[in-house]
Amino acid sequence: MSQHDLPTVEIDGKQRYVEPAEATDVEAFRAVVRSRRSVRKFTDRPIPPDVLDDCLDLAMLAPNSSGLQMWEFYVVRSPEKKAALVKACMSQLAARTAAELIVCVSRTDRIREHAQQTLREWPMPTMNPLVRRYYQLIPWHYSPGPFDVAARVKRVVYSAVGLVRPMPRGPFSSADLDLWAAKSTALACENLVLAFRAHGFDTCMMEGFDEARVRKLLDLPDAALPIMVVGAGERAADGVFWPQLRFDRDQFVHEV
């Protein structure tokens, strides 16, 4: 669809983009969510390439901060690298038996690049000047500076202004940025595992891995942070080791 074919309606005397919500099936979604389990053992059945591609595409539709898409997905196909990744995952059964191993990585070194790409590829014919200015300022706002010096200055300034009006309190430091990017990447990981479940396959989200070995295996720069390794495949009959345990809802849901 070209920019000239975008659906619009007139609201308050201005043409506004409209995107009606598609019809959904809550029971089908409930079945996907409830049947998603951490599967520790998979069969030998391969995942069709078109299913894998669709799951990755659905992962990248996840919500993410400012639409900057600070993630990467490494599908490890080389037998040598896959064996090394299994070892880096402590040789756990889910890694050894998975048909596919996908390393989900967040990136904080592409903020400027992706902000500029957003400005170039904005999907509307025009861009609100405030939105344009926002994306122009993103590299400055998220830059911690050498040795996090700029981060410390911005933290003091924003905290002072925050005494009189609401202000964002980060991300400022390098650690703040790692957490910021990890949040969006984790949302994409959730999309990924639910997509596999919707296609009839299962997953295990593994955080137990040797980060240094994974970095070396994938030749990742310092600003890349491996968030998790997702093993995917067909669930073996004994692939789920015990019933799911969830604590009482009242421990977590609060009305204030």
Side-chain angles (χ1 to χ4, degrees):
M1 181 183 296
S2 72
Q3 292 182 340
H4 299 293
D5 297 328
L6 292 172
T8 61
V9 297
E10 185 173 316
I11 300 176
D12 297 330
K14 296 182 179 180
Q15 289 297 316
R16 305 286 189 182
Y17 172 72
V18 293
E19 185 174 312
E22 294 185 25
T24 56
D25 185 337
V26 68
E27 291 307 320
F29 178 70
R30 193 189 315 277
V32 168
V33 173
R34 290 179 68 103
S35 64
R36 188 230 43 92
R37 298 299 310 280
S38 292
V39 172
R40 305 293 175 174
K41 183 180 178 182
F42 300 96
T43 71
D44 294 333
R45 179 188 172 193
I47 297 175
D50 60 324
V51 170
L52 176 60
D53 285 343
D54 188 51
C55 291
L56 290 166
D57 288 343
L58 290 170
M60 291 185 287
L61 291 179
N64 58 98
S65 182
S66 296
L68 291 174
Q69 303 163 66
M70 307 306 297
W71 49 47
E72 286 186 327
F73 303 89
Y74 290 81
V75 183
V76 180
R77 313 305 294 273
S78 159
E80 294 79 14
K81 289 189 175 183
K82 193 169 184 179
L85 181 57
V86 169
K87 186 176 180 179
C89 290
M90 317 302 174
S91 298
Q92 53 188 293
L93 186 60
R96 298 201 313 270
T97 61
E100 300 288 352
L101 288 174
I102 304 165
V103 185
C104 307
V105 176
S106 66
R107 300 291 296 261
T108 58
D109 56 343
R110 294 182 172 169
I111 295 174
R112 178 181 298 275
E113 173 189 343
H114 285 196
Q116 292 174 344
Q117 187 174 355
T118 299
L119 290 168
R120 292 194 307 271
E121 299 182 13
W122 191 249
M124 297 289 286
T126 60
M127 192 175 202
N128 184 293
L130 292 177
V131 175
R132 178 177 297 280
R133 188 59 177 159
Y134 173 75
Y135 280 99
Q136 290 170 338
L137 290 174
I138 276 178
W140 174 85
H141 177 69
Y142 289 155
S143 174
F147 306 106
D148 278 357
V149 171
R152 288 192 286 271
V153 172
K154 286 187 285 187
R155 191 181 303 278
V156 170
V157 172
Y158 278 61
S159 296
V161 177
L163 294 174
V164 294
R165 65 185 178 94
M167 290 291 293
R169 306 303 175 104
F172 299 132
S173 68
S174 298
D176 291 343
L177 286 175
D178 281 344
L179 176 59
W180 166 78
K183 290 177 184 178
S184 291
T185 304
L187 291 173
C189 292
E190 179 74 0
N191 266 30
L192 181 65
V193 301
L194 292 180
F196 275 119
R197 181 82 284 274
H199 275 287
F201 291 92
D202 283 284
T203 55
C204 184
M205 304 168 86
M206 292 174 278
E207 293 181 283
F209 57 84
D210 186 321
E211 182 181 319
R213 283 181 163 81
V214 172
R215 285 182 176 279
K216 184 176 180 180
L217 176 67
L218 301 179
D219 193 24
L220 297 176
D222 291 341
L225 180 64
I227 302 300
M228 65 184 66
V229 180
V230 175
E234 180 184 56
R235 182 186 307 195
D238 56 345
V240 178
F241 287 177
W242 47 72
Q244 190 175 64
L245 172 64
R246 285 296 181 267
F247 302 137
D248 189 86
R249 185 178 191 271
D250 291 340
Q251 289 181 236
F252 311 107
V253 180
H254 312 285
E255 295 184 8
V256 297

